[in-house]
Amino acid sequence: MFKNLLIKARDARWMWDLFGPIYNRRIYNALFELYEHIAQAVEMDGSSQILDVGAGPGYATLLLAARHTTASLLGIDFSAMQVRAAERLRKQRGIHNCRFEQGNAMNLPFANNRFDGIVSIGSIKHWADPQQGMVEISRVLAPGCWAVISETDRDVAEEALRRFIQRFTAWYFWDPLLHWGLRHIIFGQSFSEQEIASLARAAGFREIRTEKLASCPYVIVKAQK
Ligand SMILES: C[S@@+](CC[C@H](N)C(=O)[O-])C[C@H]1O[C@@H](n2cnc3c(N)ncnc32)[C@H](O)[C@@H]1O
């Protein structure tokens, strides 16, 4: 019951509006290797239009934009606060080939086949209907192009989870609580790589590859439309 309430709160827009800034301050240190890996995994050329679904503070979106200055990046998030945070960071970094707007993964406000690549990191577990989100991603992606979906690994080993927690550091008295929350509410209620691959297959993606990084307990699924 209590756990179900926490999961509901985890996925609520108001939660991201309120507590997004805490996540944003802490997460870069924990995920920078994942962002870097995904930035390299996205296949783009100079004129590519790339969408980041559930972009949050925009760390991955801005990394891609900075690396591919003639490509065009768009990050969407259902939280207005997260969109503002990402826009602030974009301005601070002086990046012009990227923008952020509010939008819901359940109903992407774009025409069919609009994008040459799509990324989504740590967002799919929050969606009301992850299968519908995957269908939407497939709909707005151009044929032959790739989507890279990454999410907390439901099958994370205890040792890897403990190493991940050390990256948040700072408040040691908080660690047991953080461990409980990550184990039972975040990782434990997420997806395995096979589950994300199945969602992608059911959404019509034809080639699907999965991988994991030793340094970061997230699954990475790369799928071609
Ligand atoms: C764990 S954060 C990940 C943020 C970012 N991708 C990153 O890797 O740092 C999840 C993000 O997904 C967003 N989100 C959750 N449900 C969403 C939905 N249905 N549509 C769009 N964004 C959503 C949240 O507002 C939040 O910013």
Side-chain angles (χ1 to χ4, degrees):
M1 169 75 173
F2 176 62
K3 206 163 133 185
N4 287 344
L5 279 177
L6 286 179
I7 294 165
K8 266 205 159 62
R10 176 197 77 170
D11 300 339
R13 187 188 318 227
W14 60 262
M15 186 60 121
W16 287 101
D17 282 338
L18 267 179
F19 295 108
I22 297 177
Y23 171 88
N24 299 349
R25 260 201 304 280
R26 303 253 152 214
I27 203 64
Y28 186 78
N29 198 35
L31 290 192
F32 67 93
E33 282 146 322
L34 180 71
Y35 296 140
E36 183 62 46
H37 184 86
I38 287 176
Q40 285 172 20
V42 179
E43 292 174 18
M44 338 178 21
D45 62 32
S47 59
S48 295
Q49 300 211 30
I50 308 291
L51 175 69
D52 184 354
V53 183
Y59 295 134
T61 340
L62 291 167
L63 188 60
L64 280 164
R67 292 274 164 82
H68 303 273
T69 50
T70 56
S72 177
L73 276 293
L74 173 59
I76 65 145
D77 200 287
F78 77 165
S79 155
M81 285 296 288
Q82 289 293 68
V83 172
R84 276 204 286 279
E87 256 308 299
R88 250 193 325 272
L89 193 59
R90 184 193 69 74
K91 283 188 186 139
Q92 272 167 22
R93 294 187 182 177
I95 292 177
H96 301 293
N97 59 327
C98 179
R99 64 193 171 85
F100 295 94
E101 57 185 56
Q102 207 172 354
N104 196 323
M106 297 297 86
N107 182 19
L108 292 172
F110 308 112
N112 297 352
N113 308 331
R114 154 87 193 275
F115 294 97
D116 307 304
I118 297 184
V119 297
S120 182
I121 305 173
S123 192
I124 185 170
K125 69 179 168 308
H126 300 286
W127 301 348
D129 181 349
Q131 184 66 74
Q132 165 69 13
M134 202 63 98
V135 167
E136 279 293 272
I137 285 176
S138 168
R139 180 183 66 76
V140 302
L141 187 64
C145 293
W146 290 86
V148 182
I149 311 295
S150 183
E151 187 48 275
T152 43
D153 182 3
R154 207 194 58 192
D155 295 335
V156 62
E158 187 53 28
E159 180 54 31
L161 184 62
R162 289 193 182 276
R163 271 201 309 273
F164 185 62
I165 287 172
Q166 279 166 12
R167 295 185 160 206
F168 292 89
T169 55
W171 309 328
Y172 291 103
F173 70 90
W174 191 52
D175 282 0
L177 189 62
L178 183 62
H179 178 271
W180 186 89
L182 288 178
R183 170 56 76 199
H184 297 285
I185 308 299
I186 306 294
F187 283 83
Q189 299 293 324
S190 184
F191 295 98
S192 66
E193 59 184 353
Q194 289 79 11
E195 286 167 336
I196 298 184
S198 301
L199 293 174
R201 209 167 292 113
F205 284 95
R206 47 194 178 91
E207 183 160 345
I208 296 166
R209 301 173 191 164
T210 62
E211 62 176 323
K212 292 184 189 183
L213 297 183
S215 57
C216 186
Y218 277 52
V219 300
I220 303 165
V221 175
K222 200 170 165 188
Q224 187 181 33
K225 179 171 169 184

